[in-house]
Amino acid sequence: MTRTAVELADDAFAAPEPGYGARLAAIRASAADDGVSVVVDLHGALVDLRFDRWAPDRSPGELAEVIRRLSAEAGAAALRQGRELLGDLLPDEPRTAARPRRRPPEPDEDTLVPATWAT
């Protein structure tokens, strides 16, 4: 049975051991590289962003890419922390291989109407 993040959070707040909610809210993870450091919360929201003196000398695109990459790394670490905290509440399901995504069929000219051509 796959559980949603909302269901897991509800279980954490209803757990017999008090404090799961506060402990989840306190989760933070950080990553740093190339003169940039980020801190994110359990949801991957950026809660702190710092630059070394020379980091803003980069192009906006390069700086954005570094911030995105570091936020993703820190977000994954925060999720691991949350999973460890909720380990007792998570079901012991075997991990299955991800199903490959199927590419939607290419539309023909008749289907390119304003309601669908941009989606």
Side-chain angles (χ1 to χ4, degrees), residues 12-23:
F13 282 100
E17 180 185 329
Y20 268 114
R23 290 167 50 196

Side-chain angles (χ1 to χ4, degrees), residues 6-40:
V6 172
E7 291 170 333
L8 291 172
D10 288 344
D11 288 350
F13 282 100
E17 180 185 329
Y20 268 114
R23 290 167 50 196
L24 285 171
I27 289 176
R28 300 287 185 269
S30 61
D33 194 19
D34 294 330
V36 178
S37 65
V38 301
V39 178
V40 301

Side-chain angles (χ1 to χ4, degrees), residues 69-109:
R69 178 176 49 85
L70 293 175
S71 295
E73 290 174 16
L79 285 175
R80 281 191 298 273
Q81 290 178 37
R83 184 166 178 83
E84 289 171 10
L85 177 64
L86 296 175
D88 296 339
L89 299 176
L90 297 174
D92 292 330
E93 293 181 28
R95 296 186 97 166
T96 58
R99 286 184 272 150
R101 292 186 178 186
R102 292 187 306 177
R103 184 176 182 158
E106 292 293 324
D108 59 2
E109 282 191 33

Side-chain angles (χ1 to χ4, degrees), residues 44-68:
L46 193 61
V47 295
D48 191 29
L49 174 63
R50 296 178 189 250
F51 300 103
D52 284 350
R53 187 176 329 168
W54 54 270
D57 292 340
R58 301 174 139 209
S59 74
E62 290 174 330
L63 201 53
E65 175 57 30
V66 170
I67 294 168
R68 187 207 56 77

